[in-house]
Amino acid sequence: MIEQFEKVNEALDRLEKILTDMRAEKETLACKVQELNGIIEDRDLEILQLQEEVEKSAASSRAEKEEISGCLEGLLGRMYKLTSEEHPSDAPDAQQNQ
């Protein structure tokens, strides 16, 4: 009977050690999870900042493109006017009148 109590006591000691180890592992994992969540949040913020930078850059590029297009259209209009004054026979009005 005493042997059985000793075996039960030994089994309880082993279970207690297993529980203690599991609790320590749980705490370690909880710390790692918290650390990883912090890293994920940092990356999310970086991604948002990069998206904002890309949107600003795209908007800036569109504005620059529109400005350049406007300048080019103005220059082409001036060139057309100059060439039509130099060669009136090439102008569309002059060709229609002929």
Side-chain angles (χ1 to χ4, degrees), residues 60-76:
S60 175
S61 295
R62 282 191 297 272
E64 186 177 0
K65 177 185 171 187
E66 290 174 10
E67 181 181 345
I68 290 171
S69 294
C71 289
L72 285 174
E73 287 177 8
L75 289 172
L76 287 173

Side-chain angles (χ1 to χ4, degrees), residues 13 18 26-27 33-34 39 44-45 55-56 60 62 64 66-67 76 82 85 90:
D13 286 343
I18 290 171
K26 179 183 173 185
E27 287 179 28
V33 166
Q34 190 174 16
I39 291 171
D44 286 346
L45 289 174
E55 289 172 4
K56 287 178 184 177
S60 175
R62 282 191 297 272
E64 186 177 0
E66 290 174 10
E67 181 181 345
L76 287 173
L82 289 173
E85 288 175 359
D90 292 342

Side-chain angles (χ1 to χ4, degrees), residues 23-98:
R23 286 183 182 135
E25 187 176 350
K26 179 183 173 185
E27 287 179 28
T28 302
L29 290 174
C31 289
K32 287 182 180 180
V33 166
Q34 190 174 16
E35 181 181 333
L36 290 173
N37 282 336
I39 291 171
I40 290 170
E41 288 177 17
D42 289 346
R43 295 301 177 257
D44 286 346
L45 289 174
E46 287 178 23
I47 289 169
L48 289 174
Q49 289 173 344
L50 289 172
Q51 286 175 336
E52 288 176 3
E53 289 176 14
V54 166
E55 289 172 4
K56 287 178 184 177
S57 177
S60 175
S61 295
R62 282 191 297 272
E64 186 177 0
K65 177 185 171 187
E66 290 174 10
E67 181 181 345
I68 290 171
S69 294
C71 289
L72 285 174
E73 287 177 8
L75 289 172
L76 287 173
R78 288 175 59 195
M79 286 179 61
Y80 178 76
K81 184 178 177 186
L82 289 173
T83 56
S84 65
E85 288 175 359
E86 290 178 8
H87 306 289
S89 61
D90 292 342
D93 293 336
Q95 288 177 357
Q96 289 175 356
N97 291 339
Q98 291 180 353

